[in-house]
Amino acid sequence: MMLAALSSTSLAYVITDSGSLNGTDVGGLDGVLSITSTLANSNPTTETTWVNSELGGTPQLQYSVKDEDVSLHNTDGNNVFAFSLSEEPGYYLIKNAKAWALMSNAASLEWGVFQLADLEPLFDKNSNGKLDDWVISHVIQFSVEVSEPGSIALVGLGLAGLVFSRRRLRTTP
């Protein structure tokens, strides 16, 4: 099963809707990390706490953006859909009226890409076992606080300069 998941993420999908996005490469499938229907309510604190507990606290994520008007696009994959992400997050949360799904956005940070079967706990099926209309209530995008590489490099250069000047003072008579 793990091998199948890894191999499926290497495929690149393309939007097949008519319109300006037709032919857009949206990358491969994003990974489903966890699904729950047991959160007490839907608010930034509850959702962020659950996400961080599912990730074991590493990396520590912060609530970034909530997108409520999510447009799903058909792709050339079998029941694979894509939607645009505004913040290019490493992780995002898909929510509908029934459950929350934590996703790892590894393939293309500009797009959320999922296979419908991977999110089956979020579905409502009618008495015939067929899928009723499925709607995403909202998508929460999370950011990770990290130091900028440029700032780290500047601190390193400053420390190296201090060491060099200290050594130079010692060798000067």
Side-chain angles (χ1 to χ4, degrees):
M1 172 95 173
M2 183 65 145
L3 183 58
L6 290 174
S7 65
S8 66
T9 59
S10 65
L11 296 174
Y13 295 99
V14 175
I15 292 177
T16 58
D17 293 343
S18 60
S20 63
L21 294 176
N22 186 24
T24 301
D25 181 347
V26 295
L29 289 175
D30 293 332
V32 179
L33 300 178
S34 186
I35 296 177
T36 187
S37 59
T38 61
L39 293 182
N41 57 25
S42 184
N43 67 53
T45 302
T46 303
E47 293 169 342
T48 304
T49 300
W50 177 71
V51 166
N52 282 318
S53 71
E54 290 299 305
L55 294 175
T58 305
Q60 191 70 25
L61 300 181
Q62 295 181 346
Y63 190 98
S64 181
V65 174
K66 177 179 180 180
D67 292 325
E68 293 186 353
D69 295 323
V70 178
S71 297
L72 292 177
H73 301 281
N74 292 307
T75 71
D76 57 348
N78 185 21
N79 286 320
V80 174
F81 297 91
F83 57 92
S84 177
L85 294 166
S86 57
E87 293 282 315
E88 298 186 5
Y91 299 92
Y92 61 91
L93 193 66
I94 295 177
K95 167 76 172 83
N96 72 357
K98 194 171 179 184
W100 294 259
L102 174 59
M103 307 292 287
S104 173
N105 188 14
S108 173
L109 296 180
E110 296 175 356
W111 293 95
V113 182
F114 64 91
Q115 189 160 35
L116 209 52
D118 292 341
L119 300 179
E120 188 160 348
L122 279 70
F123 301 160
D124 284 323
K125 293 186 178 178
N126 61 30
S127 59
N128 296 332
K130 295 188 178 184
L131 184 64
D132 286 335
D133 289 336
W134 188 73
V135 176
I136 292 176
S137 165
H138 60 268
V139 172
I140 304 296
Q141 299 174 53
F142 295 93
S143 62
V144 179
E145 289 267 335
V146 294
S147 297
E148 293 184 33
S151 299
I152 294 170
L154 284 174
V155 169
L157 282 173
L159 290 173
L162 286 173
V163 168
F164 179 73
S165 66
R166 182 83 174 158
R167 283 187 175 177
R168 192 169 185 196
L169 285 175
R170 282 188 192 167
T171 59
T172 305

